[in-house]
Amino acid sequence: MKLIASFTCVCITSLFISFSAASADAEQAKSLLEQLSKSLRQVNFNTSFVVVKNNQAEPYHWLHGVIEQQPNNADDDAKNVELEILALLNGPRRDILRINNRVSYIEPEYAPYTIRSEQISGPIPTVFGRDISVLENNYHFVLVGKNRVLGRAAQLIRIVPKDAHRFGYWLWLDQQSGLLLKLAVVTRKGNLLEQIQFTHLEITDKISENLKQLQAAELPQIIDVTAQQKNTDLSWNVDWLPNGFEPVKSDRHRIIASKQTVEFMLFNDGLVDVSVYVNPSKEKQRTVEYASDGATLVLSQVINNIEVSVVGKIPLETAKKIINSISFNRKPVTP
């Protein structure tokens, strides 16, 4: 009996130590992700990276800087100016410029325009520069080993989904600055879907000349997107989504090329966007079709002259479950 009691005591102690160690690693992983968020907002850096997916690479140049403004008098607060440029280097010019909460888009398809936003939309999830704690309900933060990336000592952090309805994210963070050196999107089995590999990183005390020019530049006129952000009463509902996905917006608009009316809902779990589109179709029926671009899946089907599509960085089975949950209270608006 004494032997059994001793064995039981050892097992309980070992479990407690293992749990405590895992909890400490999770807290350290979260702390490193918080440092990443802080660095992305406060550090002056000049960096380049490539997005690799489907055996193709898209190169980007990314600049960020902060100009510290001195208060005019003792009663004023210093208002720093945050500047950012993200440029796609191949093909037609695609630049995103940001001065504090003004973001300008330079794209070949549209006239340049500016919106009010505190973040740019690019290949790197915006949550990494914001409050990382919004992910804790749906993801585990796992501290893994150290490695060497871009000639710099790096710490690997895994963001692991708590269910089978999402992909995982692996981040290699620079141990010196906390900045991102590499990012991979993987399946639950660890299969690589796409990755972002940084090819250059320069951290400076002063902002670059390009950012100085941006600060002095006159950005395109701000457009009012308030009306677009309001939710529209649509003819259908999505009755199932993975836990944690919340509605962001819904609207109805016409596609310029075809002039066809499309109804749209956008959902987000803090890390991943999922879009659902519904529009009338000339086809009576069409079985499920899907294609993937790296981690991004596009799935669609036609039932009773209605086409439904789901787009997002989610597994195929998740997209199928979403599309099968859609219910209609009336027919979508016809073209």
Side-chain angles (χ1 to χ4, degrees):
M1 293 296 292
K2 290 183 178 180
L3 180 61
I4 294 175
S6 298
F7 177 76
T8 302
C9 182
V10 169
C11 289
I12 292 174
T13 302
S14 298
L15 287 172
F16 177 76
I17 293 173
S18 298
F19 178 79
S20 298
S23 179
D25 284 350
E27 285 301 316
Q28 186 177 352
K30 180 182 177 182
S31 177
L32 290 171
L33 291 172
E34 289 172 340
Q35 178 58 48
L36 166 65
S37 175
K38 182 178 179 181
S39 296
L40 288 176
R41 288 180 281 111
Q42 298 181 2
V43 172
N44 301 324
F45 59 80
N46 179 349
T47 186
S48 299
F49 62 85
V50 291
V51 179
V52 182
K53 54 185 177 181
N54 299 342
N55 296 321
Q56 295 182 339
E58 291 182 337
Y60 288 82
H61 187 205
W62 188 14
L63 295 166
H64 179 272
V66 177
I67 297 178
E68 296 184 359
Q69 303 280 61
Q70 299 299 323
N72 295 326
N73 56 64
D75 295 329
D76 291 340
D77 294 328
K79 295 182 180 179
N80 295 338
V81 179
E82 191 176 356
L83 304 162
E84 197 168 9
I85 300 175
L86 179 66
L88 178 61
L89 299 182
N90 283 358
R93 182 185 177 188
R94 295 180 184 274
D95 294 348
I96 306 177
L97 318 173
R98 181 167 75 90
I99 303 177
N100 286 338
N101 66 344
R102 291 178 296 155
V103 179
S104 300
Y105 291 86
I106 313 296
E107 301 173 306
E109 299 92 345
Y110 307 100
Y113 63 94
T114 300
I115 64 173
R116 293 198 180 276
S117 176
E118 294 184 352
Q119 55 201 25
I120 62 176
S121 178
I124 298 172
T126 56
V127 69
F128 294 148
R130 303 300 163 191
D131 181 10
I132 202 71
S133 65
V134 299
L135 303 181
E136 288 185 290
N137 289 336
N138 304 300
Y139 297 87
H140 296 291
F141 303 147
V142 180
L143 186 71
V144 195
K146 293 179 172 61
N147 209 323
R148 190 165 174 266
V149 180
L150 198 60
R152 308 172 74 98
Q155 173 68 58
L156 173 58
I157 305 293
R158 291 180 182 173
I159 300 178
V160 181
K162 294 182 178 181
D163 56 40
H165 303 304
R166 289 163 248 253
F167 294 133
Y169 288 72
W170 296 4
L171 289 75
W172 286 261
L173 305 181
D174 180 25
Q175 286 190 262
Q176 182 177 0
S177 66
L179 289 170
L180 190 62
L181 298 176
K182 186 177 177 180
L183 168 67
V185 185
V186 300
T187 66
R188 287 181 67 82
K189 294 183 178 180
N191 297 325
L192 179 65
L193 296 171
E194 67 180 60
Q195 69 177 354
I196 295 175
Q197 172 68 62
F198 284 73
T199 57
H200 165 76
L201 175 61
E202 180 184 3
I203 300 170
T204 59
D205 293 330
K206 297 181 180 180
I207 68 169
S208 69
E209 287 300 318
N210 286 342
L211 291 179
K212 289 181 181 179
Q213 294 176 15
L214 171 61
Q215 185 189 22
E218 184 176 346
L219 297 181
Q221 184 177 357
I222 296 176
I223 63 173
D224 183 12
V225 296
T226 305
Q228 300 175 24
Q229 292 175 343
K230 291 181 179 179
N231 288 337
T232 303
D233 182 23
L234 302 181
S235 61
W236 47 277
N237 296 300
V238 178
D239 296 330
W240 181 87
L241 286 161
N243 289 335
F245 276 93
E246 300 291 340
V248 176
K249 63 180 291 189
S250 61
D251 71 13
R252 183 184 298 112
H253 59 269
R254 288 185 180 272
I255 300 174
I256 296 176
S258 64
K259 297 183 179 179
Q260 185 177 41
T261 300
V262 174
E263 298 185 348
F264 159 79
M265 286 187 186
L266 174 65
F267 305 91
N268 180 273
D269 72 343
L271 181 57
V272 177
D273 285 334
V274 171
S275 302
V276 181
Y277 300 87
V278 171
N279 59 272
S281 173
K282 294 181 180 180
E283 297 179 83
K284 177 69 175 178
Q285 305 285 338
R286 190 177 71 229
T287 58
V288 170
E289 298 177 342
Y290 65 90
S292 59
D293 181 25
T296 302
L297 180 76
V298 180
L299 182 147
S300 66
Q301 69 174 351
V302 176
I303 300 176
N304 297 327
N305 298 109
I306 297 175
E307 182 176 21
V308 181
S309 303
V310 175
V311 182
K313 291 183 186 292
I314 52 176
L316 175 60
E317 293 305 316
T318 304
K320 286 181 177 179
K321 197 168 181 179
I322 292 173
I323 211 169
N324 289 333
S325 79
I326 294 174
S327 61
F328 292 85
N329 47 52
R330 64 181 186 279
K331 284 189 175 182
V333 174
T334 56

